[in-house]
Amino acid sequence: MNGFTQLDNNLGREIGLTCGSGAFHIYFVLYSHRNAKTGACYPSLKLLAEETGKSLSTIKRELDKLREAGFIDWTTGGYNEQTQTNYANSYTFPRAAKWLALFFCLI
């Protein structure tokens, strides 16, 4: 990965306190795949597992924690019967979006 990821300190602390450090790690790596201009974010679970060193079951469990706490949401990508391929989920970051809106309104 190249570049940098900017995340609000208070949001990061809240994620860690609410969901744990493992979930924060997953959130950070997931958020690093977000397109800053469009908000699009579609990394596969396999890619998240590779980049975090966690198992697929751990990734799924931590994503569920983050979703339940309202830090992320996603639309399921689905499955193509013909090619027998899974499509990646499309992730959104509701609380990060609120922080960004506040930040840019104050500038």
Side-chain angles (χ1 to χ4, degrees):
M1 277 189 276
N2 293 326
F4 64 93
T5 301
Q6 188 170 359
L7 185 65
D8 176 57
N9 290 335
N10 292 326
L11 178 61
R13 287 184 193 102
E14 186 179 353
I15 292 167
L17 290 171
T18 305
C19 300
S21 60
F24 174 77
H25 184 203
I26 304 299
Y27 183 94
F28 184 82
V29 172
L30 179 65
Y31 195 78
S32 74
H33 285 279
R34 179 182 166 275
N35 181 306
K37 291 181 183 176
T38 66
C41 184
Y42 329 98
S44 67
L45 296 177
K46 181 181 176 188
L47 180 63
L48 293 174
E50 289 170 3
E51 291 185 353
T52 60
K54 307 292 183 192
S55 69
L56 286 174
S57 59
T58 297
I59 297 293
K60 290 175 186 177
R61 184 175 52 252
E62 299 296 353
L63 288 174
D64 285 340
K65 282 185 199 175
L66 290 164
R67 186 182 213 181
E68 188 175 308
F71 293 110
I72 63 169
D73 199 6
W74 64 83
T75 304
T76 303
Y79 181 76
N80 184 326
E81 290 283 341
Q82 189 174 17
T83 62
Q84 297 184 347
T85 334
N86 287 317
Y87 295 112
N89 295 337
S90 176
Y91 295 92
T92 58
F93 305 87
R95 294 203 184 170
K98 290 177 185 174
W99 173 81
L100 286 170
L102 287 171
F103 176 75
F104 287 112
C105 286
L106 295 175
I107 291 178

